[in-house]
Amino acid sequence: MTEHFSLAPEAAGPRLHVAGRSLELLQSVPELAPRYAAHEAVLTLDDVAALPPLAKDDLNVALAHLEPKAERGATWLFQSGGSTGAPKVGYAPTGFYMAGVHAHWRPLDRTDVFVNAWGAGRMWGAHFLAAALADLAGCQVIALGSVGADEYDEWLAFLRARRVTAIGGTPSVLRMWFARARAAGLKLPELRKVLWLGEAWQPQLAEDMAAVAPDARRWGMFGSTETWVVGTNTPDCPADTFHPLPEQLVHAGPDELLDFTTLNPDMLNPVLRYRTGDAGRIVSCPCGRPGRAMRVLGRRDSVVQVRGLGLDVDEVIARAEREPGVARAQVLITEQRGRATGVDVLLLTGRGAAPDLDRLRRELLSATFTLSTAFQHDPESFRVRAADVLISNDRTGKTSNLVVREEP
Ligand SMILES: [Zn+2]
């Protein structure tokens, strides 16, 4: 079964003692100890595959007990919660493990003028890990962070005047930058590199990039606040395919759920078969780089309960986004005391013909069992409407496919 791992047994073997140490740490957590009691050592990849997977809540229980501290320098606390929900805490040392990333992935060099557009503060990690990468690259950095809706035009003029060559952010934030520049007819002719992390790549972003910065190419990182950067890709790789780092062991289970095991001895979070909710496969990348790559197939936790029935949010989004004139869709569930009072599909419309909202609504309702059944008696509570902006999380800058709102 070792072909379901990102590393061959001979490459993983010398590093598996780190997984063994994570096992010992998890065994020392009273709430988790019974689950790991039958597991004695981690000597082979089969031993890894036999371990129980770790969920976000389990990791937070472990971290609350372990309270890890960096060997040198500061221990940073970051939000390791999801895109919605209350913040949970993950730990990292200064440097954020980016030396290991830089050893294998060098999108930036000393000649670059790099705009760090990941939001800073609020315990969000991406801005700081990008800063650490820029430090290793020795480039010029403009630490912009997130800006308000009315500030884009002014900053775009500044970035153009500074002849920026690189920008990095979550795809949702990058889309704002490129869409605003395109709408204003502004070009960034020197821009060559667009670094991204935090969400799946968005095809619409590539379209706006081509208009604003024809020479710019995408450079992706995949990871989470628990695992930190797991893998990277280049403009030659498909946007959903990443090359895992040698200190990250990626495993694709029989259900295609990915789990991650750190093989980095400096890692503070005991990441051992940790599941982020992403599905994927171990593949070889069409870019031709040797070794195993991981293809991310999207999230498997996209099914939510609506009036007791499972609604596949990604499926609704995909259908809505196939509609001409729809740039992006988002599902908004409104709840009152835990019961769904309404479901809205919000549509960010692009240039060109406006989508036929009534027809799309009727189609979604008739094609989606959960919607037609759950709203049988009040079909008017399922709505499809155009929106000027989708709902983003202020802390993370992410725009997730699903937003749940509680009504008083
Ligand atoms: Zn590749």
Side-chain angles (χ1 to χ4, degrees):
M1 296 301 275
T2 57
E3 70 274 17
H4 300 300
F5 282 97
S6 58
L7 291 172
E10 56 277 18
R15 298 171 183 262
L16 283 178
H17 63 94
V18 178
R21 191 206 55 172
S22 295
L23 175 62
E24 282 172 24
L25 288 171
L26 291 169
Q27 283 171 334
S28 76
V29 180
E31 295 95 322
L32 302 177
R35 200 201 297 188
Y36 292 99
H39 300 271
E40 278 177 11
V42 185
L43 302 174
T44 66
L45 291 178
D46 287 334
D47 293 340
V48 176
L51 289 163
L54 195 64
K56 193 182 289 280
D57 289 343
D58 305 327
L59 188 59
N60 272 277
V61 167
L63 286 168
H65 177 83
L66 297 167
E67 289 211 3
K69 278 204 165 49
E71 286 284 320
R72 284 172 300 279
T75 300
W76 296 61
L77 275 61
F78 285 108
Q79 298 215 34
S80 79
S83 298
T84 51
K88 293 169 181 169
V89 175
Y91 297 78
T94 300
F96 317 104
Y97 318 110
M98 291 307 281
V101 177
H102 186 247
H104 296 274
W105 188 71
R106 300 195 172 179
L108 301 172
D109 59 53
R110 286 189 68 79
T111 65
D112 277 310
V113 183
F114 170 58
V115 181
N116 189 343
W118 278 283
R122 296 182 186 241
M123 295 172 70
W124 189 241
H127 184 93
F128 299 93
L129 74 81
L133 181 73
D135 195 28
L136 293 160
C139 64
Q140 210 181 95
V141 184
I142 297 174
L144 198 51
S146 58
V147 305
D150 54 348
E151 297 177 295
Y152 280 92
D153 295 348
E154 210 176 303
W155 279 112
L156 278 164
F158 173 79
L159 299 184
R160 188 189 152 94
R162 297 305 315 179
R163 302 163 72 91
V164 299
T165 63
I167 186 170
T170 58
S172 294
V173 167
L174 293 168
R175 268 211 65 192
M176 293 294 285
W177 283 106
F178 285 100
R180 287 298 286 260
R182 189 178 182 184
L186 187 134
K187 303 237 185 256
L188 296 169
E190 322 280 336
L191 193 75
R192 299 281 187 283
K193 302 151 183 181
V194 175
L195 280 62
W196 56 284
L197 166 72
E199 292 173 319
W201 181 251
Q202 300 176 17
Q204 179 74 34
L205 179 50
E207 256 179 55
D208 288 339
M209 258 168 65
V212 173
D215 294 329
R217 299 288 176 268
R218 55 164 170 75
W219 295 78
M221 289 177 272
F222 178 91
S224 68
T225 318
E226 297 79 37
T227 60
W228 291 81
V229 175
V230 168
T232 58
N233 69 20
T234 74
D236 297 329
C237 311
D240 62 358
T241 304
F242 300 84
H243 296 269
L245 300 165
E247 64 261 33
Q248 297 274 7
L249 180 63
V250 185
H251 173 245
D255 45 8
E256 291 196 321
L257 271 181
L258 293 174
D259 62 73
F260 304 91
T261 296
T262 185
L263 301 181
N264 180 347
D266 298 327
M267 178 70 91
L268 298 185
N269 298 340
V271 174
L272 185 63
R273 288 208 68 204
Y274 177 72
R275 276 186 180 165
T276 54
D278 292 286
R281 281 178 207 148
I282 302 300
V283 298
S284 57
C285 184
C287 76
R289 188 171 137 189
R292 296 173 189 178
M294 115 187 125
R295 185 167 165 229
V296 179
L297 302 170
R299 296 187 71 83
R300 273 292 157 80
D301 52 2
S302 77
V303 176
V304 291
Q305 293 291 308
V306 175
R307 298 183 176 178
L309 297 165
L311 176 68
D312 191 331
V313 170
D314 287 355
E315 214 170 81
V316 173
I317 301 273
R319 172 62 195 90
E321 288 184 347
R322 278 201 300 273
E323 195 70 13
V326 174
R328 188 140 188 232
Q330 184 176 50
V331 172
L332 166 66
I333 298 180
T334 312
E335 288 187 346
Q336 208 163 26
R337 291 186 292 279
R339 183 182 188 269
T341 53
V343 171
D344 290 79
V345 179
L346 306 180
L347 304 177
L348 199 62
T349 53
R351 285 159 302 279
D356 185 342
L357 301 179
D358 278 330
R359 186 181 48 74
L360 179 61
R361 179 181 170 280
R362 283 196 304 275
E363 263 186 51
L364 282 169
L365 204 51
S366 63
T368 315
F369 167 79
T370 293
L371 293 174
S372 56
T373 310
F375 294 103
Q376 192 175 1
H377 301 295
D378 57 339
E380 72 280 2
S381 301
F382 172 66
R383 295 165 289 259
V384 175
R385 52 192 176 92
D388 289 333
V389 282
L390 299 181
I391 302 161
S392 314
N393 183 313
D394 289 336
R395 296 197 317 264
T396 63
K398 288 191 191 188
T399 305
S400 57
N401 284 350
L402 172 70
V403 175
V404 179
R405 274 201 178 150
E406 183 69 27
E407 265 180 355

